[in-house]
Amino acid sequence: MSNLKDNFFRIIDYLRVSVIDRCNLRCIYCMPTDGITTERHDEILSYEEILRVLRIGARLGVRKVRITGGEPLMRKNITFLIDSIKSIPEIEDLSMTTNGVLLNKYAHELAHAGLDRVNVSIDSLIPERYKQITRGGDLDVVLNGLASAEKAGLDPLKINMVPVSGLNDDEILDFAKLTFNTNVQVRFIELMPSGSVDFWDPDKYITTDQIRSTIESLAPLTPVRLRRHGPAKYYRMKGAKGIIGFISAITHHFCEDCNRIRLTADGKIRPCLFSETEIDLKTALRTDASDLEIERLLRLSVEAKPKGHSLDELHQNPPREYDKHVKSSLITNHLMKRPMSKIGG
Ligand code: SAM
Ligand code: SF4
């Protein structure tokens, strides 16, 4: 049982670690149009620093680790990190979220190093559209990566899809149908207000309820209980092998069950994705702080977790009823100051 308990009696046993703030894609809902400024190489935590945080975190009760980014497979020698995390005895579950571009190259090495699972982000199954959403990505490359991950035994394979109104929402059923014949988990994620003010607009986001009813027009959904389910709620379509998950950060937020904190690539602990509060670990790590001091900062980060977020303000009125001014001030208030690629989604 974790010793990390926040002020609202939530047990924190999950650390999401962003290992890089760079990416080889520039998805339109994640990155601002004019790109992001990235940190200098020496501002990014080294593997030794990340491993030190993880070892101390594990002593406090961290049991589950997800490696993310930016694009984690762009970080040199990533399999070394996976292998080293795997050797921390307390860590029971080690996964990665990737855009899959380099998965074909690394899937076997990653599995060999001890990675348990991957989530691959794909927002369209139409090559031209995929290219448009990712500003240049090649769908075939990612599908080859998925096939390699499956062959390498990175199981269960999860696909993350962010439906955006007028962009890819006509593909919700095509994604859902992927679960008919394979053991894949397809997870639909509500669009969150990050990236750029230009892109984010309440008119663009589709609620979980809307996604669900689109899928239910094809086949009824039966709830599935998983041992480790995190914030997603899972269902199976009648006759399907795989399952469908919904991550409803905005409309059915899951703050009461939140069990995670995040470590950004530049060494800040972010207690809540939707709060700008960050605790600086890097300075401590680079000024000879003792393990006890790092432990104190980790505990402080857990204590700094807010009870919840108020993003549902963006949803409470039907989006089209917002007047332009209210809408833009709401978006500005809620827009995350760091893009997702710099937090580690
Ligand atoms: N590059 C990797 C990838 O794309 O999987 C890992 C980092 S990415 C920030 C992690 C996840 O965040 C992806 O599944 C992506 O779709 C999701 N994401 C990014 N921006 C988002 C947004 N504004 N709303 C919802 N999900 C978002
Ligand atoms: Fe890169 Fe992932 Fe953001 Fe797309 S969602 S730009 S792949 S970090």
Side-chain angles (χ1 to χ4, degrees):
M1 170 71 89
S2 175
N3 279 321
L4 290 169
K5 197 187 267 181
D6 74 4
N7 292 331
F8 306 97
F9 308 105
R10 292 172 298 199
I11 305 284
I12 309 305
D13 62 0
Y14 182 12
L15 187 58
R16 292 176 80 113
V17 181
S18 173
V19 293
I20 189 166
D21 61 347
R22 286 159 205 266
C23 188
N24 42 10
L25 297 178
R26 291 195 304 124
C27 302
I28 52 180
Y29 56 78
C30 175
M31 292 249 186
T33 324
D34 44 2
I36 53 161
T37 48
T38 49
E39 300 291 333
R40 281 201 336 254
H41 184 68
D42 59 349
E43 294 298 336
I44 299 295
L45 291 191
S46 67
Y47 285 159
E48 286 66 31
E49 288 166 334
I50 293 173
L51 286 166
R52 182 167 177 219
V53 175
L54 284 175
R55 285 190 193 106
I56 297 171
R59 289 209 291 273
L60 294 178
V62 170
R63 297 290 172 265
K64 186 173 168 182
V65 173
R66 174 173 296 276
I67 302 301
T68 178
E71 175 44 43
L73 293 180
M74 284 180 73
R75 176 101 185 230
K76 243 182 164 169
N77 245 336
I78 188 73
T79 44
F80 165 81
L81 181 70
I82 298 297
D83 188 57
S84 308
I85 298 175
K86 201 61 188 178
S87 67
I88 303 175
E90 295 92 341
I91 303 297
E92 295 164 3
D93 188 68
L94 178 56
S95 59
M96 177 182 283
T97 301
T98 169
N99 61 28
V101 171
L102 295 170
L103 203 48
N104 193 25
K105 182 168 173 197
Y106 287 120
H108 280 88
E109 267 183 57
L110 290 167
H112 188 68
L115 188 72
D116 293 315
R117 294 172 291 110
V118 277
N119 291 17
V120 184
S121 308
I122 308 179
D123 296 310
S124 175
L125 297 170
I126 303 169
E128 266 318 299
R129 189 182 279 174
Y130 179 83
K131 186 176 241 170
Q132 178 206 349
I133 295 175
T134 56
R135 297 191 179 105
D138 182 340
L139 181 63
D140 275 348
V141 169
V142 175
L143 295 180
N144 283 339
L146 265 185
S148 302
E150 196 180 6
K151 261 197 225 133
L154 294 168
D155 182 48
L157 210 51
K158 298 187 187 181
I159 295 178
N160 288 352
M161 191 246 186
V162 180
V164 179
S165 183
L167 184 67
N168 59 358
D169 53 332
D170 55 343
E171 293 187 65
I172 290 172
L173 283 183
D174 293 334
F175 274 89
K177 283 179 194 163
L178 295 176
T179 65
F180 272 134
N181 296 321
T182 56
N183 188 25
V184 70
Q185 296 187 9
V186 173
R187 294 139 41 96
F188 295 97
I189 305 177
E190 280 181 348
L191 178 67
M192 293 181 274
S194 109
S196 88
V197 190
D198 301 342
F199 184 76
W200 210 87
D201 185 315
D203 290 349
K204 287 201 175 109
Y205 95 90
I206 305 183
T207 64
T208 285
D209 292 349
Q210 289 167 314
I211 304 167
R212 255 190 85 155
S213 68
T214 303
I215 297 171
E216 280 173 330
S217 70
L218 181 69
L221 290 171
T222 314
V224 175
R225 285 195 67 81
L226 298 183
R227 196 171 67 87
R228 286 181 187 276
H229 57 85
K233 296 256 181 305
Y234 284 101
Y235 298 83
R236 193 185 302 277
M237 284 198 297
K238 198 162 185 232
K241 275 193 185 159
I243 57 178
I244 291 175
F246 298 103
I247 303 184
S248 328
I250 296 187
T251 56
H252 300 279
H253 52 86
F254 34 73
C255 303
E256 69 274 16
D257 295 326
C258 186
N259 62 346
R260 65 201 57 194
I261 52 176
R262 291 176 158 78
L263 176 62
T264 65
D266 59 347
K268 310 278 191 310
I269 293 276
R270 190 159 168 126
C272 168
L273 179 60
F274 300 106
S275 153
E276 300 303 326
T277 303
E278 291 180 348
I279 285 95
D280 179 18
L281 271 194
K282 187 170 64 185
T283 308
L285 289 165
R286 293 186 179 178
T287 50
D288 290 333
S290 65
D291 282 6
L292 220 60
E293 179 62 8
I294 305 293
E295 190 177 314
R296 196 185 68 80
L297 289 171
L298 284 174
R299 288 190 189 282
L300 199 73
S301 310
V302 166
E303 281 165 25
K305 272 182 81 65
K307 186 168 183 200
H309 65 69
S310 54
L311 283 175
D312 48 356
E313 270 184 45
L314 291 169
H315 169 67
Q316 264 152 15
N317 302 314
R320 275 166 200 81
E321 285 173 21
Y322 282 126
D323 89 23
K324 271 268 177 267
H325 173 72
V326 174
K327 190 159 95 178
S328 73
S329 75
L330 267 178
I331 294 169
T332 313
N333 285 345
H334 288 289
L335 196 78
M336 291 177 225
K337 299 211 168 49
R338 272 182 192 255
M340 284 289 269
S341 62
K342 293 196 79 173
I343 300 173

